[in-house]
Amino acid sequence: QVQLVESGGGLVQAGGSLRLFCAASGRALSTYDMGWVRQAPGKAREFVAHISWTGSMTSYAASVKGRFTISRDNDKNTVYLRMNSLKAEDTAVYYCAAKRALVAGNYEYWGQGTQVTVSS
């Protein structure tokens, strides 16, 4: 089982940038596909970005494409989400998630989340 801990959230003005971190322990991250999912107050969880276990494939929600970048460093057991040109509507709790690579299905493991607040 893998444990995930997010960090890097905070308060930022619209147009600013933040970098989120997801540190994994318990298992080597190199065998997991990873993703970021967010949840705004009163709204359902929303997919943000995904990266394959090798890092060779990424995908993004339309609302963040071109502004956010997901990356990973398997040697450091860490996944990142670089967020640029932040908007008020990006305000949410951001969760890191993992699923075993090459296994069909949804994310299996979740972090506790980190709050991102964008002031307009």
Side-chain angles (χ1 to χ4, degrees):
Q1 188 170 349
V2 61
Q3 291 80 43
L4 305 171
V5 178
E6 303 93 335
S7 61
L11 174 65
V12 63
Q13 288 188 335
S17 298
L18 279 177
R19 192 185 192 195
L20 302 185
F21 302 80
C22 174
S25 61
R27 290 283 178 92
L29 207 57
S30 57
T31 59
Y32 291 85
D33 295 334
M34 300 296 298
W36 288 93
V37 177
R38 68 187 181 187
Q39 187 167 23
K43 295 187 177 181
R45 282 192 178 184
E46 175 190 23
F47 166 77
V48 175
H50 178 88
I51 187 166
S52 63
W53 61 291
T54 60
S56 60
M57 292 188 295
T58 58
S59 60
Y60 298 91
S63 58
V64 307
K65 198 168 186 179
R67 299 187 297 122
F68 290 11
T69 303
I70 188 171
S71 60
R72 65 191 299 159
D73 186 335
N74 287 340
D75 290 338
K76 295 183 178 179
N77 248 23
T78 302
V79 176
Y80 309 93
L81 184 68
R82 177 67 178 180
M83 306 185 294
N84 295 329
S85 303
L86 282 161
K87 305 176 182 179
E89 50 263 43
D90 294 319
T91 294
V93 177
Y94 283 72
Y95 297 91
C96 177
K99 63 174 289 294
R100 286 167 291 168
L102 306 178
V103 174
N106 298 322
Y107 293 120
E108 302 168 276
Y109 307 102
W110 296 83
Q112 84 290 347
T114 185
Q115 176 71 48
V116 172
T117 303
V118 184
S119 63
S120 56

